[in-house]
Amino acid sequence: MGILFMLIGLGVGAYYGSRTRDMRRMEGTVAAFEKDHPVVAFEMNGESFRFTADEETDLLRVGSPYAFMVNPDNPADYMDNTLPTVMWIFAGLGAFFALLGLGISACMGAARRSRETLLSYGLRARATVTAVTENKSVSMGNRHPLRVTASCVSPVTGQEVTLRSHNLWTCTLTPGQQVTVAFDPVREKKYAFDLQDEEDASACPSASSPWGA
């Protein structure tokens, strides 16, 4: 989405640049308003002209300066500030969504690596699946990821614990089945589900957490 918005912004900017290539910058004065559209008055070659800008704004007042582009050979051919505004809005939103996506992707990758590391050294235990439920707090394309809830005896504390897995987009597990969970021997509340087979079967990347809850 971020890339799409940026491409739209670049396309609008390219069109505006092409459209105003033979124009020059001009400054007029807001003479009136027509339904929040400023009516701009300006003089060129000793003649007076007016046009109603396409943009809507409540930031200007009668008498405010208004910069625009105009064809010096044809003052009726002008470009107001609508397209530059649209360009910057789409470019800004595109950059925001792109950075947000990169940040989420980086966090997901870090979470997956953290989980894989814990699976390589953690104390393993077999847990019994008690439920597989949707995580309603996360949504992608009207879909919610799944989380596995399981219980086992912690090899660190020796106590019965209830655990929740990271998010999965597909899951074939059902209550009563067994899964492997690795516990950090130092931090008793840190654990990771070994659900590699479920993740390999998923068509979507998992919005994972480094450890359950």
Side-chain angles (χ1 to χ4, degrees):
M1 183 180 293
I3 294 175
L4 176 62
F5 273 53
M6 291 180 71
L7 288 176
I8 292 174
L10 290 174
V12 172
Y15 171 75
Y16 179 78
S18 174
R19 181 74 171 76
T20 59
R21 182 178 295 114
D22 297 324
M23 294 184 178
R24 67 182 177 91
R25 186 177 178 82
M26 184 78 180
E27 186 171 282
T29 303
V30 176
F33 283 90
E34 291 184 2
K35 298 181 179 180
D36 293 331
H37 295 270
V39 178
V40 181
F42 66 99
E43 291 187 1
M44 177 174 284
N45 302 324
E47 295 186 59
S48 297
F49 299 92
R50 283 191 175 204
F51 69 88
T52 301
D54 292 329
E55 68 171 320
E56 294 184 30
T57 179
D58 56 3
L59 301 177
L60 299 174
R61 298 290 182 267
V62 173
S64 298
Y66 188 94
F68 60 98
M69 302 297 289
V70 65
N71 184 341
D73 298 323
N74 180 15
D77 182 17
Y78 66 90
M79 291 291 290
D80 61 17
N81 298 320
T82 302
L83 289 184
T85 301
V86 171
M87 176 189 69
W88 287 113
I89 289 175
F90 274 94
L93 287 174
F96 170 77
F97 285 124
L99 290 174
L100 181 63
L102 289 173
I104 292 175
S105 178
C107 290
M108 289 168 55
R112 186 182 182 92
R113 289 191 296 272
S114 176
R115 189 170 62 254
E116 290 173 347
T117 300
L118 180 53
L119 290 173
S120 69
Y121 72 82
L123 301 176
R124 290 177 171 254
R126 295 294 286 172
T128 302
V129 176
T130 58
V132 179
T133 57
E134 289 186 334
N135 182 3
K136 296 290 188 178
S137 64
V138 179
S139 178
M140 181 181 294
N142 296 321
R143 293 182 59 201
H144 302 288
L146 304 171
R147 298 191 76 174
V148 177
T149 302
S151 61
C152 70
V153 175
S154 169
V156 180
T157 65
Q159 298 178 341
E160 182 81 16
V161 291
T162 298
L163 314 170
R164 288 188 302 167
S165 74
H166 52 282
N167 292 323
L168 296 164
W169 290 101
T170 61
C171 183
T172 60
L173 295 171
T174 58
Q177 290 186 290
Q178 298 283 302
V179 293
T180 299
V181 182
F183 290 80
D184 190 306
V186 177
R187 290 179 285 180
E188 61 186 55
K189 292 185 178 181
K190 182 179 178 181
Y191 58 86
F193 277 66
D194 187 357
L195 299 175
Q196 187 62 47
D197 291 340
E198 302 294 329
E199 292 174 324
D200 288 344
S202 176
C204 300
S206 62
S208 55
S209 167
W211 45 84

